[in-house]
Amino acid sequence: MLELHYYPSNASFAPHLLLEEMQLPYTLRKVNREAGEHKSAAYLKLNPNGLIPVLIDDGEPLYETAAILMHLADKTPGFAPPLGNMARAHYLKWMVWMTNTLQAMLIHYFYPERMVREGDAEAAAVVKSRAEAQVGPMLDQMEAELARHGGPWFGGASYSALDPLAFMLCRWTRMHAHPARARPLLGAYLARVLARPATQAVVAREALPEPIY
């Protein structure tokens, strides 16, 4: 049995979406983030970083969103290219890039105070602004990749574990001055992902507010 420790609109959204797409039997365990449950001793035994999500697979905790997605994709045929070819290599490249480059910069946008002296609101505002500026070219890179292969999904012709992560991170730019949806190919791509029944189900279950992306 799979159990996802989640919180609405957090990084757990991507594995929640992939689990729904795979139609695997799973349960949800909502973390009481407002009460600081993700920093509790019990939760830190699951993820010593105190971050959401955690996936429990047969009693074993797994954390890091991209690792969870890749693990699930390897358990379920059809959600990742097979081993030993360049399609697999590019799949891994984009999975690592999204979590290590785009997501990392978005974290600076959402939590700029972590990067400055405590209480320095002016410096935090600069970090937030610079992070948003850095995200723009990254979204352009995603737009260019969709143009390059011309397929409907981020990896090309087939929906894969890349798509929940790409959708989630693009969604996180929805309040930017030039969000992902403003780019023609990315905007159309996000609309396709949102139209999928699994996405609709997860958006409803997590009660996500408009704009969705």
Side-chain angles (χ1 to χ4, degrees):
M1 176 58 71
L2 298 165
E3 180 183 67
L4 180 68
H5 291 239
Y6 86 108
Y7 188 83
S9 201
N10 277 213
S12 51
F13 178 80
H16 188 182
L17 184 51
L18 189 58
L19 285 165
E20 191 69 22
E21 284 282 355
M22 291 175 167
Q23 299 184 331
L24 294 172
Y26 72 96
T27 59
L28 292 172
R29 166 73 164 79
K30 187 176 179 180
V31 179
N32 190 344
R33 183 171 174 173
E34 292 89 347
E37 185 184 356
H38 57 307
K39 305 298 183 182
S40 68
Y43 191 86
L44 291 173
K45 289 181 180 178
L46 303 177
N47 183 352
N49 303 298
L51 299 173
I52 302 166
V54 168
L55 179 75
I56 308 295
D57 185 352
D58 197 23
E60 184 76 19
L62 179 65
Y63 52 88
E64 294 296 330
T65 298
I68 292 171
L69 293 171
M70 290 187 287
H71 171 65
L72 290 173
D74 287 344
K75 287 170 68 75
T76 309
F79 287 89
L83 291 170
N85 58 42
M86 285 307 298
R88 176 77 177 197
H90 286 297
Y91 158 81
L92 294 173
K93 173 194 72 179
W94 283 111
M95 190 68 76
V96 172
W97 180 88
M98 281 193 273
T99 191
N100 197 50
T101 303
L102 177 56
Q103 184 172 348
M105 190 58 66
L106 284 165
I107 294 300
H108 293 327
Y109 170 83
F110 285 111
Y111 303 102
E113 69 280 359
R114 296 176 180 175
M115 306 305 296
V116 301
R117 290 187 299 272
E118 185 174 356
D120 193 340
E122 184 177 350
V126 172
V127 170
K128 186 180 182 77
S129 175
R130 289 302 303 150
E132 181 174 346
Q134 292 294 316
V135 165
M138 298 175 191
L139 297 176
D140 292 340
Q141 190 173 343
M142 296 178 74
E143 176 85 355
E145 176 64 6
L146 290 170
R148 183 193 68 77
H149 63 61
W153 309 113
F154 195 78
S158 300
Y159 184 99
S160 74
L162 290 172
D163 294 297
L165 186 57
F167 183 82
M168 180 185 77
L169 297 177
C170 286
R171 178 178 182 272
W172 288 359
T173 73
R174 64 194 182 280
M175 300 305 181
H176 288 198
H178 190 50
R181 66 176 181 272
R183 292 159 177 80
L185 297 180
L186 263 181
Y189 162 74
L190 295 171
R192 286 193 294 274
V193 177
L194 181 59
R196 293 176 71 90
T199 309
Q200 291 290 309
V202 172
V203 165
R205 193 173 298 134
E206 297 198 8
L208 300 184
E210 295 286 349
I212 300 302
Y213 61 83

